[in-house]
Amino acid sequence: MGAGKVFLITGATGIAAATARLAVNRGDIAFTVAQEDAAEFTGDLREEKTAQAALNAVLHQHGRLDGLFNVAGISGRRFGDGPAHVCTLEGWEAVMASNVRTLFLMSRAVLRHWMESGARGAIVNMSSVSALSPQADHFATHAYAASKGAINSLTFAMAAYYAPHGIRINALAPGLVATPMSARAQSDQRIQEFIREKQPLSGGMLGAVDVASAALFLLSDDARHITGQVLAVDGGWSVTG
């Protein structure tokens, strides 16, 4: 790293914040966009105009964009997400809008810019181990899992289409990470005991910086031959019983 690349990161806390800090420490530029105030640009990421306005702000301030990290999203539990037979329509629609719609709109704006300008770049999308290795006892939020599965499929499809144009698109599938989104799990002793066994390499929950490091690798030139992949950063979750 350290090449002065310009990255746009959706989100202002947790993994997004950790990635922005790490990028800056490595000599890159991180422009954050979120629906909270702790960002360089704020707005409703579910709206088309927000995605274009965020991109315009980056280009106005830095002149180019080298990579996009789509992090912003929600768990949906407070809206009624859960097992399919009890998941509310509000929960389903809130999760799909916040996790999939936002990612699509931001990616579309960036891809249009790169295609029109002939620039190359990289996109990293935030998936989840829930889409690849579901866990029924403690993490039965089916709208969330479905949204992350949709993100994986979109990642594959976009990667195939844009590879001839020199644009790389990958996804990250983290295990349970200590962020504001996982506050419920962090306060539940049963889940903490479960995670110590489920993620043995981490001995518990992952740190946000663990995922941030993987994101910056996929955005960097070190990953220039990698596209269409979903990289599990899960402390062993997906290979344990």
Side-chain angles (χ1 to χ4, degrees), residues 129 133 197-198 200-201 234-241:
V129 72
S133 181
E197 296 184 2
K198 189 65 174 172
L201 295 182
D234 62 10
W237 174 301
S238 56
V239 293
T240 57

Side-chain angles (χ1 to χ4, degrees), residues 12-19 21 71 126 128-129 139 144 173-188 191-192 195-196 199 202-212 233-235 237:
T13 62
I15 294 169
T19 305
R21 288 193 297 268
V71 189
M126 182 56 69
S128 169
V129 72
F139 302 97
Y144 180 82
L176 189 61
V177 186
T179 66
M181 185 183 292
S182 64
R184 177 190 69 92
Q186 293 179 54
S187 64
D188 189 318
I191 293 179
Q192 290 300 304
I195 290 299
R196 279 193 285 272
Q199 297 182 172
S202 308
M205 300 178 73
L206 291 154
V209 71
D210 298 320
V211 184
V233 184
D234 62 10
W237 174 301

Side-chain angles (χ1 to χ4, degrees), residues 2-170:
K5 289 183 177 292
V6 178
F7 299 134
L8 189 158
I9 302 169
T10 65
T13 62
I15 294 169
T19 305
R21 288 193 297 268
L22 189 58
V24 171
N25 289 340
R26 293 185 179 187
D28 294 302
I29 298 170
F31 186 100
T32 57
V33 52
Q35 297 185 154
E36 300 87 9
D37 291 333
E40 293 183 72
F41 183 93
T42 60
D44 189 343
L45 290 165
R46 296 167 298 183
E47 296 184 0
E48 288 183 280
K49 64 181 181 181
T50 301
Q52 188 60 51
L55 174 61
N56 291 344
V58 175
L59 297 176
H60 176 75
Q61 185 169 335
H62 301 292
R64 72 179 198 279
L65 178 66
D66 301 303
L68 167 65
F69 186 20
N70 285 307
V71 189
I74 64 172
S75 69
R77 192 178 294 271
R78 67 183 183 277
F79 297 106
D81 190 7
H85 73 288
V86 297
C87 180
T88 66
L89 182 58
E90 180 189 9
W92 177 271
E93 293 183 341
V95 169
M96 290 299 171
S98 294
N99 293 0
V100 185
R101 179 185 175 95
T102 58
L103 181 147
F104 161 69
L105 291 175
M106 196 71 254
S107 296
R108 187 180 67 174
V110 169
L111 287 166
R112 282 177 173 173
H113 167 68
W114 285 340
M115 292 292 282
E116 291 171 359
S117 65
R120 297 188 171 202
I123 295 176
V124 176
N125 296 323
M126 182 56 69
S127 181
S128 169
V129 72
S130 296
L132 305 170
S133 181
Q135 203 286 320
D137 295 331
H138 301 295
F139 302 97
T141 45
H142 292 174
Y144 180 82
S147 74
K148 297 303 183 178
I151 288 170
N152 290 349
S153 294
L154 181 58
T155 296
F156 297 146
M158 292 194 300
Y161 186 89
Y162 293 105
H165 301 279
I167 297 170
R168 301 185 300 103
I169 303 172
N170 295 287

